[in-house]
Amino acid sequence: MSDEPITRLLQQWRSGHVEALDQLTPLVYEELRLRARAAFRAESKDHTLQPTALVHELYGRLAPANVNWQDRSHFYALCSRMMRRILVDHAKARNAAKRGGNSHHVSLDTEPSADSANHEDLLSLDRALEKLSSLDERKAELLDLQIFGGLTFRELEEVTGLSSSTLDRDLRFARSWLKTQLSAV
């Protein structure tokens, strides 16, 4: 399907035509589910939040948003960032609950669960991306869009407007930096 209908509907939605969201949803829903599944690659199989639920929560946050949509790529890039925030918030809430939250649970287990480890991995990744963002915001954004949004190299070119050589160089550097940061944890 051509990108024009999506861009047109985004512009109509931006202009206040609420019914445009109803028309847009079936055009982007499956792609958002694929991107949500990509965001779950590092998550455990028994994660309490599933890709479909992630997309639904994303829609809940998007519907009231007042965003100046530029085009399809801009839409998916913003959705990717929002998915990351939702996953990180979910992981933080789960870790807080496991550390006691509002209860007085005492565990005799000495080994952390796989679910806990995956939440910690996600939080470590989030912290590393935040650190990279403070050093080089563009490189952090590229990783964010690729890891959490599943954007392809071509889509990254469209979203960022970077040349393929610059994009390739930035991604290679950012991945190497991220690998070093995560191996130090």
Side-chain angles (χ1 to χ4, degrees), residues 25-156:
T25 298
L27 298 178
V28 298
Y29 185 79
E30 194 55 39
E31 179 66 22
L32 288 173
R33 285 190 69 232
L34 289 172
R35 291 169 191 260
R37 275 193 287 255
F40 273 86
R41 281 190 206 127
E43 294 294 318
S44 67
K45 300 289 183 219
D46 61 341
H47 196 285
T48 58
L49 186 64
Q50 297 301 316
T52 301
L54 176 60
V55 172
H56 289 203
E57 186 164 340
L58 173 68
Y59 266 100
R61 294 183 185 193
L62 277 176
N66 184 13
V67 179
N68 185 14
W69 301 111
Q70 297 166 9
D71 56 22
R72 172 194 169 276
S73 297
H74 179 244
F75 172 77
Y76 285 126
L78 180 64
C79 288
S80 298
R81 288 184 196 107
M82 291 178 81
M83 283 186 205
R84 174 184 172 200
R85 289 282 29 112
I86 292 167
L87 286 171
V88 168
D89 291 348
H90 185 74
K92 286 178 180 177
R94 294 271 307 200
N95 278 354
K98 287 181 183 222
R99 288 193 171 89
N102 293 329
S103 67
H104 298 288
H105 176 72
V106 176
S107 173
L108 300 177
D109 292 337
T110 56
E111 295 292 320
S113 70
D115 187 43
S116 174
N118 282 324
H119 288 297
E120 285 298 325
D121 290 346
L122 179 62
L123 294 175
S124 295
L125 175 60
D126 182 58
R127 285 189 294 270
L129 286 172
E130 290 296 326
K131 185 175 180 182
L132 179 58
S133 182
S134 69
L135 301 172
D136 191 323
E137 191 172 338
R138 183 175 77 193
K139 288 178 178 73
E141 181 179 353
L142 291 174
L143 282 180
D144 188 9
L145 293 172
Q146 195 171 58
I147 293 169
F148 290 96
L151 268 67
T152 64
F153 192 85
R154 174 94 170 101
E155 289 170 326
L156 286 170

Side-chain angles (χ1 to χ4, degrees), residues 3-12 24 70-72:
D3 293 342
E4 272 72 39
I6 293 173
T7 299
R8 181 180 44 77
L9 288 168
L10 285 168
Q11 291 168 349
Q12 288 175 358
L24 178 67
Q70 297 166 9
D71 56 22
R72 172 194 169 276

Side-chain angles (χ1 to χ4, degrees), residues 151-168:
L151 268 67
T152 64
F153 192 85
R154 174 94 170 101
E155 289 170 326
L156 286 170
E157 283 180 309
E158 289 176 24
V159 169
T160 63
L162 295 173
S163 70
S164 60
S165 59
T166 300
L167 183 58
D168 181 59

